[in-house]
Amino acid sequence: MNFDLTDEQEQLRDAVRALGRRYGHDYFVAKAKAGEHTTELWAEAGRLGYLGVNIPTEYGGGGGGITELAIVCEELAAAGCPLLLLVVSPAIAATVINRHGTEAQRKRFLPGFADGSLKVVFAITEPEAGSNFHRLGTVARRDGDDWLLSGRKCFISGVDEARYVLVVARTEDATTGRLKPALFVVPSDAPGLTRSKLDMEIVSPENQFLLYLDEVRLPADALVGESVDAGLPALFTGLNPERITVAAMGAGTGRYAIERASTYTASRKVWGGRSIGAHQGVSHPLAHAAVQVELARLMIYKAAALYDAGRDLEAGVSANMAKYATGEAAALAVDTAVQVHGGAGMTTEYGVATLLGAVRAGRIAPVSREMILNYVAQHVLGQEKSY
């Protein structure tokens, strides 16, 4: 059992950390509050190869796996720049197309993922069904050689930045007549596809949208894979990387908050000559938060290692546990950082309260803590399914 990163992974971590710190949290917040995107950071990360670390080398990527992408997500977040589109584009969409797309689709899309010039967002969640794909109302039906998609999606991240949307719809099985999931690559400007921005109480340069698909016509090759039979395995292929990279982003955010708080409490002096960090009422909550973040990080990299080894069932358990643990740890770390700053913690200047909305959302999305507990109870503890 080896907990050390390889030399290449350490070099990647150091390089991404340096890039993130050159931009920093002030840049991230300024972009978010101006209604702008982190275009410069994304473009530079793409040029340096960090956005394509999990893409095979034959398509211009780094040839690594989800472990390497988790490192990128974590280190940018630890520098105060948690980029949500790393999760939906390189982690979900690129992984799905790489593992289940046709060779023509891999050649068409993967080089753009690798250099960051292509962003593809992911659309599964719906107003009525949530992320329960068994109840999805978005339906795809054949019309000659084409497909027609109709339905609604909600909480879809970054549509205004993306060239394509990877849409999860349901198709009719010609044999059984039952509906089953299929994935389609839909141009974000396709006729019949409209969007409405959701106002969120989160400081983020990435926006959330409602999507409306009204008889969106797509060519046959918009379907991911050779047939609709690729839909279910393709869908599950994207979910574990999603959970792992969301967790990595949360762990990085927790580290950032603890570092900011520790620097502040080590230098802040109010009574006498000692820093406020010398008092256990201040230092112990920070230490506790640091322990929780580190424990979550161990599960993240266990899950990533299992996924990269092709052990999907085991990776599913670990990815869900990592997402749960990190959601709790990141929220604790940011809340504790705000508290030890006192009133200063609620100002924009000190750079911690700006993360409160994001880490609270991390306990809800992309899968809620309650659904993860249901999963663990059923699949690990052998309990009867409750939903």
Side-chain angles (χ1 to χ4, degrees):
M1 185 178 296
N2 185 357
F3 291 96
D4 293 330
L5 297 176
T6 65
D7 289 343
E8 292 80 7
Q9 290 168 341
E10 285 286 6
Q11 291 168 9
L12 175 65
R13 183 180 293 280
D14 291 343
V16 175
R17 179 187 298 123
L19 173 65
R21 288 183 173 177
R22 278 202 289 108
Y23 284 86
H25 192 59
D26 289 344
Y27 163 83
F28 180 88
V29 171
K31 288 290 184 179
K33 292 193 172 184
E36 299 173 355
H37 304 305
T38 51
T39 306
E40 301 87 356
L41 174 54
W42 183 275
E44 187 167 356
R47 286 195 301 273
L48 294 170
Y50 305 151
L51 304 181
V53 289
N54 60 318
I55 305 296
T57 55
E58 59 264 39
Y59 302 106
I66 294 302
T67 299
E68 284 74 19
L69 189 58
I71 289 170
V72 174
C73 290
E74 182 184 357
E75 290 306 319
L76 287 178
C81 298
L83 299 186
L84 181 57
L85 284 189
L86 280 171
V87 175
V88 294
S89 194
I92 301 175
T95 299
V96 166
I97 291 173
N98 180 44
R99 288 185 60 171
H100 295 281
T102 64
E103 179 58 23
Q105 288 169 340
R106 287 191 286 271
K107 288 180 178 177
R108 179 182 176 187
F109 294 114
L110 292 183
F113 283 115
D115 64 16
S117 61
L118 177 67
K119 295 177 183 176
V120 179
V121 297
F122 184 58
I124 181 172
T125 307
E126 295 185 0
E128 288 79 22
S131 55
N132 179 3
F133 70 84
H134 296 290
R135 295 187 58 196
L136 293 181
T138 300
V139 175
R141 61 181 177 83
R142 283 284 195 182
D143 186 48
D145 292 334
D146 293 344
W147 290 95
L148 292 176
L149 269 64
S150 292
R152 293 189 300 161
K153 299 291 181 180
C154 63
F155 298 114
I156 309 307
S157 307
V159 181
D160 55 336
E161 300 181 65
R163 206 184 316 169
Y164 296 95
V165 183
L166 185 62
V167 175
V168 183
R170 300 180 74 193
T171 62
E172 184 175 81
D173 189 319
T175 304
T176 66
R178 295 179 179 177
L179 293 176
K180 60 183 181 181
L183 279 73
F184 296 86
V185 182
V186 181
S188 57
D189 61 353
L193 175 63
T194 56
R195 66 186 187 230
S196 175
K197 184 172 176 286
L198 287 164
D199 291 329
M200 306 291 291
E201 296 299 324
I202 298 174
V203 178
S204 173
E206 290 116 349
N207 296 313
Q208 301 292 316
F209 291 90
L210 288 166
L211 294 186
Y212 307 91
L213 299 102
D214 183 12
E215 297 284 271
V216 176
R217 182 173 293 276
L218 300 170
D221 63 1
L223 174 70
V224 174
E226 299 288 352
S227 73
V228 294
D229 292 332
L232 190 59
L235 176 58
F236 282 115
T237 288
L239 296 183
N240 286 337
E242 175 188 50
R243 284 149 175 68
I244 293 167
T245 50
V246 161
M249 191 169 64
T253 300
R255 285 173 48 205
Y256 167 84
I258 291 167
E259 180 182 355
R260 293 297 295 258
S262 298
T263 300
Y264 179 80
T265 57
S267 59
R268 173 75 166 161
K269 296 179 181 179
V270 180
W271 296 286
R274 290 196 299 177
S275 67
I276 61 172
H279 300 285
Q280 292 175 349
V282 174
S283 63
H284 280 191
L286 274 178
H288 174 64
V291 169
Q292 300 309 305
V293 170
E294 187 61 23
L295 290 173
R297 292 181 72 228
L298 290 174
M299 186 55 76
I300 291 165
Y301 288 100
K302 176 183 178 180
L306 288 170
Y307 186 85
D308 289 339
R311 295 160 65 179
D312 288 354
L313 291 176
E314 295 164 278
V317 172
S318 294
N320 276 285
M321 288 183 170
K323 194 275 172 186
Y324 179 95
T326 310
E328 302 299 301
L332 175 67
V334 172
D335 185 69
T336 303
V338 171
Q339 188 69 23
V340 301
H341 275 84
M346 293 304 298
T347 67
T348 302
E349 177 186 357
Y350 282 85
V352 285
T354 43
L355 296 166
L356 281 169
V359 294
R360 186 61 186 84
R363 300 174 73 207
I364 300 169
V367 59
S368 71
R369 61 193 300 275
E370 290 76 19
M371 286 304 297
I372 292 177
L373 292 176
N374 283 335
Y375 179 93
V376 172
Q378 181 184 348
H379 294 280
V380 178
L381 304 181
Q383 302 303 301
E384 183 180 357
K385 188 175 181 180
S386 64
Y387 56 95

